[in-house]
Amino acid sequence: MSHWDIELYYSLKSSVPVRTLSLLGVPMLWNTFKLEVPDRDLFEYSSASLATFGHDAATLGKILVRIGLEGKTASAAAVLQALLAFSSLHRYGLQPHAVELKIAALKSLAEGSAVPSLGAKETIQHIATGMLLCSFEIHHSSCSSDEWMGCLRGVETVINASSIKTLLQLGSDVVVLLDWVHYHDILARFSLLYWEREGTPELPSTPTNFFGPQISILPPPVFSMINLLSQACVTISSSTIPPETGNSADDYKNFVGVIDWRIRTVPMLKITHDDNDVLDDVALLMHLYQLAMLVFLNRRSEGVIDQPIRTQDYIDKAFALLPRLSFCKQQFPIHVIGCEARTDEQRAVILDVISRTEKMSLSRSFSYCRRILQAVWAQDDLREGNKISHRDMLTSVIGHCVIVPAFSCANQKYLLNGKTRVVEQLCSRNLLN
């Protein structure tokens, strides 16, 4: 526990912000070694290192390469340069080669934007480049990587200026790309719920017809999960909460209760309790994600839906699942459940999962996630016996981060080698609870 933790605690206890308190961050690791890596090697590596949920990451990588090879234009070059930049960063860390490729992508993107209007093909190329640059910024999660929200905002601005009907004429690759954007958009809005600070970045409202079930090709359980998380974030944002009394308050409470019920009743894969079953990892992750969403909704809605016994049951179940996971690259459930770790044993479980995950070559660093959890745990220890709400504590910790934290992930092992199709087959055969 540090002096920073104690100062933040007294700020929370007295409800007086500490303006001199330093912001929470992690150092940026910079490798000065000049790499000479063939582009072919980076292309092959990039196909397995993209952050997505519900789609085969290798397939997404191939789609991005195809998009980048569509014509010899500046917009096409931007896609390839951004893909190489991300791959170089992911494989070798932050070093001059990765930064040079990123700068080249930005220059090509600017050149490709210097036209009166974008055609459908160029629009997709700009979306792909923007998401790759967003992934670049998210991946190294340093105190200086605060541009990921700007990249995402730019992508959504391009989407809003487009016609979904026109984009879909380019084929199914577009749908995978839109699902990728949707996933990052939802987790960005989740982070912004706790980012109550001057100069809060805003994301544009994107028409629902771009991300609806009629468009998405995600497996049904995955789409249901992220769609309900999106609804939860919108519903419990401070701008939508009505006064505490009146019909609108009752309607709001009922609607939050409906979302809670819908999350609880999402059809889930059965857990087989077979440690050697790859699909059991799928089921464990989906159940963990479901429990994390329920905990998040109940914690964020304290005073609206008060069901402490049920919430504690969700937490206990999540901690029972975590040791069984081989790894968990999804930072959202690790963050949500990790913030509930009250005992040393529970915190050790969280740190063990993070450690197992970080040992994998394709894993994104948990440095920022771990630092936030450590700050939350310190506040939990200090506020014991005091009436500081969980929501206020978490808002204060995240609000003191240098940048808006991103709780996305690298690809999941079970999403490689066609495992997504297995999930779809299981759903279609009704092998669900």
Side-chain angles (χ1 to χ4, degrees):
M1 191 175 299
S2 66
H3 177 70
W4 187 94
D5 297 313
I6 295 172
E7 279 211 56
L8 182 62
Y9 165 71
Y10 281 114
S11 170
L12 277 166
K13 187 178 179 182
S14 62
S15 300
V16 177
V18 182
R19 301 190 183 280
T20 58
L21 194 62
S22 62
L23 296 178
L24 193 65
V26 292
M28 179 177 67
L29 300 178
W30 172 257
N31 182 359
T32 59
F33 184 71
K34 181 71 173 180
L35 292 172
E36 296 293 339
V37 184
D39 289 350
R40 180 184 296 274
D41 291 350
L42 291 177
F43 272 131
E44 291 176 356
Y45 185 82
S46 67
S47 65
S49 56
L50 293 162
T52 184
F53 184 38
H55 283 300
D56 181 352
T59 298
L60 176 59
K62 292 174 183 177
I63 288 172
L64 291 168
V65 172
R66 283 200 296 271
I67 292 172
L69 293 175
E70 282 287 327
K72 296 182 179 180
T73 63
S75 297
V79 179
L80 297 180
Q81 290 160 344
L83 186 60
L84 291 171
F86 173 74
S87 184
S88 179
L89 170 72
H90 196 288
R91 189 167 190 178
Y92 301 108
L94 192 60
Q95 28 73 31
H97 186 234
V99 174
E100 288 168 5
L101 287 166
K102 173 193 167 183
I103 293 172
L106 288 168
K107 289 180 178 178
S108 296
L109 188 64
E111 183 182 343
S113 301
V115 293
S117 61
L118 296 175
K121 183 173 67 176
E122 290 73 25
T123 296
I124 293 302
Q125 289 169 338
H126 279 239
I127 292 171
T129 302
M131 287 305 300
L132 284 164
L133 293 173
C134 176
S135 299
F136 184 101
E137 297 302 329
I138 287 174
H139 186 75
H140 63 92
S141 292
S142 73
C143 301
S144 63
S145 60
D146 61 347
E147 298 173 5
W148 74 274
M149 288 286 291
C151 294
L152 184 59
R153 185 166 56 245
V155 166
E156 294 184 347
T157 300
V158 171
I159 290 175
N160 284 346
S162 309
S163 162
I164 184 63
K165 184 177 180 180
T166 302
L167 295 183
L168 290 178
Q169 291 175 355
L170 297 178
S172 60
D173 287 357
V174 174
V175 180
V176 176
L177 202 60
L178 291 176
D179 282 337
W180 191 31
V181 176
H182 191 204
Y183 169 64
H184 281 78
D185 172 82
I186 291 168
L187 290 181
R189 294 181 192 278
F190 166 77
S191 296
L192 289 175
L193 287 174
Y194 299 96
W195 185 266
E196 296 181 0
R197 218 164 77 190
E198 188 177 346
T200 298
E202 294 184 2
L203 293 173
S205 298
T206 305
T208 55
N209 62 328
F210 279 89
F211 301 134
Q214 302 86 356
I215 302 297
S216 175
I217 56 174
L218 286 168
V222 176
F223 179 81
S224 295
M225 285 289 190
I226 64 173
N227 190 49
L228 286 168
L229 180 57
S230 175
Q231 291 182 32
C233 289
V234 171
T235 301
I236 61 182
S237 65
S238 57
S239 61
T240 60
I241 299 176
E244 293 183 4
T245 58
N247 293 333
S248 58
D250 292 336
D251 291 342
Y252 176 77
K253 181 176 180 178
N254 291 335
F255 188 64
V256 173
V258 168
I259 294 178
D260 177 79
W261 174 81
R262 290 182 63 192
I263 295 172
R264 284 188 281 115
T265 56
V266 170
M268 300 292 289
L269 289 165
K270 292 180 180 179
I271 299 176
T272 64
H273 302 286
D274 182 356
D275 293 337
N276 296 318
D277 188 353
V278 175
L279 283 176
D280 209 34
D281 278 345
V282 182
L284 288 168
L285 177 64
M286 294 300 293
H287 280 270
L288 182 66
Y289 219 100
Q290 181 188 43
L291 292 167
M293 287 171 59
L294 289 166
V295 171
F296 154 65
L297 181 65
N298 280 267
R299 287 298 194 199
R300 187 71 190 187
S301 303
E302 286 178 351
V304 179
I305 49 172
D306 290 316
Q307 40 190 17
I309 296 176
R310 178 176 282 179
T311 302
Q312 187 58 50
D313 183 53
Y314 299 148
I315 295 167
D316 293 341
K317 286 180 178 177
F319 276 105
L321 290 179
L322 283 167
R324 298 186 56 195
L325 282 170
S326 304
F327 56 87
C328 182
K329 293 181 183 178
Q330 297 286 345
Q331 294 198 9
F332 167 77
I334 294 297
H335 165 75
V336 173
I337 302 303
C339 287
E340 301 296 333
R342 301 287 184 266
T343 66
D344 289 343
E345 290 77 11
Q346 289 177 329
R347 293 169 186 178
V349 167
I350 294 293
L351 293 175
D352 283 346
V353 175
I354 291 176
S355 178
R356 291 197 299 271
T357 305
E358 286 188 320
K359 289 177 181 177
M360 302 180 64
S361 62
L362 296 181
S363 173
R364 173 191 158 209
S365 171
F366 271 78
S367 297
Y368 222 140
C369 181
R370 185 191 292 106
R371 183 67 187 91
I372 291 170
L373 287 176
Q374 289 168 344
V376 168
W377 294 342
Q379 294 307 309
D380 261 330
D381 293 342
L382 288 167
R383 75 187 179 107
E384 189 172 354
N386 290 303
K387 295 182 179 180
I388 300 173
S389 73
H390 183 275
R391 172 179 171 174
D392 289 344
M393 180 266 293
L394 198 54
T395 299
S396 184
V397 169
I398 293 181
H400 278 87
C401 290
V402 175
I403 63 171
V404 180
F407 296 107
S408 58
C409 65
N411 61 288
Q412 292 293 328
K413 181 178 179 182
Y414 76 85
L415 294 177
L416 297 175
N417 303 322
K419 292 298 188 298
T420 300
R421 290 190 294 275
V422 177
V423 176
E424 292 172 332
Q425 291 168 8
L426 287 173
C427 295
S428 64
R429 294 175 187 172
N430 296 319
L431 298 179
L432 303 171
N433 287 329

